Amino acid sequence: MPRMVGLFLFPDFQILDVVGPLTSFEVAERFVPGAYTTVLLSAEGGAVRSSAGVPLDTLAIDQAPLLDTLIVSGGDGTRTAMHHAATAEWFRAATPRRLCSVCSGAFLLAAAGLLDGRRATTHWRRAEQLARLFPKVVVEPDRIHIRDGHVWTSAGITAGIDLALALVAEDLGEDTARRVAQEMVVYYRRPGGQSQFSALADLGGQQTPFAPLLEWIRCHLDQRLTVEVLAERCAMSPRNFSRAFVREIGVSPARAVERLRLEVARERVESAVQPIEQIAAALGFHDPERMRRAFLRAFGQPPQAMRRLARTQSA
């Protein structure tokens, strides 16, 4: 029997949150005919307009077939849709084998209480809001996708494709998922723990007065980058510097330094033959074990595993 995949959308949904996963399952069908059947769902059915202005035709949720997998899209419309009581009730009553969200679709699941006590992610811009509105959710903003039991959540927009490929891999095996990725000409597969964005972009890019400092840090990752050192470079007291930095950037100086170190370390791990020990020393981790622990927190994999994966994919 084909696996029935329902994709739930609402007015002002992000269209790529829907068509990205939809295309992934369509392509999987080419390699394994009969593997999937897909259906687009909405609260009331009919044509639903995306934030891009393109409508998609949907089936009302009260007419939905029995679902193997339910994927909730994200988009600007979540700000309204998350308050729709009938939708939340339907989510709670639904019993798919897998319950998933893309991007800010996590807000709809959280509003229905389905993420309470679970690890979850969403688009990095809205992660803080998700954590604030739903304190029972364990929000992890630095993830492409997270699986906690039967509930899967993913980061923004294109991460829905990564999520769909992970679902295909679970259903049909890694080889089929890899072929789907090749057919779609997308990276196979960004590990779920990989960071969502470049560290400098995440930390404000050029839109913050601390941008020159962040650029300097990235060029001096081998140095001892304590709060005192960074504060002195900004001609500020450590206390005022820390407060201003967190207010402007959203994370502590130590966290920002680690993100920048991890981004460069990952690039070197995946693209070079330089020994892991030398990379750790050159980027201020001091020892491989400290870098390994940082990789596990940020990417869900140790450096050696990420290097092997990169070599396999480039072979």
Side-chain angles (χ1 to χ4, degrees):
M1 292 291 292
R3 299 165 181 84
M4 179 64 70
V5 179
L7 296 105
F8 180 85
L9 45 130
F10 41 80
D12 288 328
F13 69 95
Q14 167 54 244
I15 195 165
L16 191 54
D17 287 1
V18 175
V19 299
L22 190 65
T23 302
S24 303
F25 296 118
E26 174 199 353
V27 175
E29 269 277 307
R30 300 178 191 175
F31 298 116
V32 185
Y36 295 106
T37 298
T38 55
V39 58
L40 301 183
L41 302 168
S42 67
E44 298 177 358
V48 179
R49 184 181 181 277
S50 70
S51 57
V54 178
L56 293 180
D57 195 35
T58 65
L59 188 68
I61 53 177
D62 60 6
Q63 299 175 349
L66 183 63
L67 298 175
D68 173 83
T69 302
L70 173 62
I71 301 176
V72 181
S73 66
D76 292 341
T78 56
R79 292 175 171 85
T80 299
M82 63 185 281
H83 299 295
H84 195 269
T87 296
E89 183 179 350
W90 183 75
F91 285 154
R92 287 191 292 267
T95 56
R97 178 171 64 92
R98 294 180 301 209
L99 182 61
C100 315
S101 66
V102 179
C103 193
S104 54
F107 282 76
L108 275 68
L109 297 185
L114 297 171
L115 297 184
D116 288 356
R118 295 186 183 275
R119 297 166 56 242
T121 194
T122 187
H123 191 289
W124 62 270
R125 283 192 184 277
R126 299 193 64 184
E128 182 181 355
Q129 181 189 24
L130 181 66
R132 184 176 67 255
L133 292 178
F134 305 102
K136 293 182 180 180
V137 181
V138 183
V139 179
E140 298 188 13
D142 265 3
R143 298 291 184 267
I144 294 294
H145 58 78
I146 289 176
R147 177 182 185 177
D148 190 330
H150 75 293
V151 178
W152 304 57
T153 54
S154 78
I157 309 178
T158 61
I161 297 174
D162 297 278
L163 173 65
L165 289 172
L167 298 174
V168 170
E170 181 180 67
D171 293 339
L172 308 177
E174 292 286 343
D175 288 344
T176 299
R178 183 178 292 107
R179 293 171 70 191
V180 172
Q182 290 172 341
E183 189 74 9
M184 294 176 66
V185 198
V186 297
Y187 184 96
Y188 179 79
R189 282 181 294 134
R190 289 185 293 176
Q194 182 175 317
S195 181
Q196 294 185 29
F197 29 70
S198 74
L200 282 176
D202 169 43
L203 298 172
Q206 298 300 317
Q207 308 304 313
T208 169
F210 287 109
L213 176 66
L214 293 169
E215 291 281 1
W216 181 86
I217 291 172
R218 201 175 195 278
C219 295
H220 297 83
L221 294 173
D222 60 321
Q223 297 186 17
R224 187 168 174 267
L225 301 173
T226 63
V227 169
E228 290 74 18
V229 169
L230 301 180
E232 183 178 358
R233 186 162 185 83
C234 294
M236 300 172 69
S237 71
R239 184 176 182 181
N240 286 338
F241 166 75
S242 293
R243 288 179 173 176
F245 191 93
V246 171
R247 183 172 61 249
E248 183 69 30
I249 303 300
V251 297
S252 69
R255 178 62 170 151
V257 169
E258 183 176 81
R259 284 189 183 181
L260 291 166
R261 281 185 169 135
L262 281 166
E263 182 174 65
V264 176
R266 178 174 168 270
E267 292 171 359
R268 295 190 185 183
V269 164
E270 292 186 337
S271 63
V273 295
Q274 185 180 15
I276 301 295
E277 294 79 5
Q278 290 183 16
I279 296 174
L283 296 179
F285 286 105
H286 304 301
D287 66 77
E289 177 58 25
R290 182 178 175 186
M291 188 171 82
R292 187 187 73 84
R293 291 196 300 269
F295 265 61
L296 287 172
R297 287 195 301 271
F299 308 131
Q301 299 185 75
Q304 293 84 350
M306 296 188 73
R307 173 166 284 181
R308 287 194 298 270
L309 179 62
R311 288 174 175 172
T312 298
Q313 292 171 343
S314 62

